[in-house]
């Protein structure tokens, strides 16, 4: 109820992503929290394939959705193959990288396909 700023930022960033991706694009929601992005995106672009990831198991449980799997993992060590994603969506998560910002960004770029899009 108190996360209105986070919701506003997420929806604005999501709107940019949703208009720019091709049909059936694969998206990683890195730092999915409660799964708001997947719920928001599914109403506008049901064709998208979304994988949700969060370090907190409680957030992954809350984000659970029949069509969008959630993975509990460290964002600096994403258990996905190189070049698997058309886009990575990362709303208000970068502050959690701390001193690990270079490895955080490197890992996000690693899972992107060549020419993929990073939305931070």
């Amino acid at each position: 109820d108190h996360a209105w700023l986070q919701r506003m930022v997420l929806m604005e960033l999501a709107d940019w992503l949703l208009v720019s991706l091709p049909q059936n694009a694969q998206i990683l929601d890195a730092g999915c929290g409660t799964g708001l992005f997947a719920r928001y995106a599914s109403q506008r672009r049901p064709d998208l394939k979304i994988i949700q990831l969060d370090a907190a198991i409680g957030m992954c449980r809350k984000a659970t959705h029949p069509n969008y799997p959630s993975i509990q993992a460290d964002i600096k060590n994403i258990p996905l193959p190189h070049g698997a994603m058309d886009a990575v969506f990362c709303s208000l998560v970068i502050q959690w990288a701390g001193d690990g910002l270079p490895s955080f960004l490197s890992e996000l770029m690693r899972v992107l396909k060549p020419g993929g899009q990073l939305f931070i």
Side-chain angles (χ1 to χ4, degrees):
D1 292 341
H2 301 288
W4 61 269
L5 178 64
Q6 289 88 337
R7 282 191 303 277
M8 239 173 50
V9 169
L10 182 141
M11 289 177 194
E12 187 162 330
L13 185 60
D15 287 341
W16 289 349
L17 176 142
L18 296 173
V19 298
S20 70
L21 292 177
Q23 285 288 106
N24 301 311
Q26 300 261 8
I27 303 167
L28 173 64
D29 180 4
C32 68
T34 61
L36 178 59
F37 170 72
R39 290 191 305 277
Y40 184 77
S42 69
Q43 294 172 352
R44 285 147 188 84
R45 292 283 307 272
D47 62 292
L48 299 176
K49 314 284 190 273
I50 302 169
I51 296 175
Q52 303 179 98
L53 180 138
D54 204 283
I57 191 67
M59 290 293 120
C60 290
R61 286 186 183 124
K62 209 148 182 72
T64 297
H65 185 283
N67 298 325
Y68 309 117
S70 59
I71 301 168
Q72 191 257 332
D74 184 343
I75 205 164
K76 295 176 204 157
N77 189 19
I78 299 170
L80 294 173
H82 292 267
M85 299 287 117
D86 294 299
V88 173
F89 181 82
C90 194
S91 180
L92 297 176
V93 176
I94 200 165
Q95 73 274 12
W96 300 110
D99 293 341
L101 184 59
S103 62
F104 169 86
L105 293 174
S106 176
E107 190 65 356
L108 295 181
M109 297 303 292
R110 181 190 68 76
V111 300
L112 277 174
K113 291 179 180 175
Q117 300 178 58
L118 178 59
F119 291 82
I120 295 180

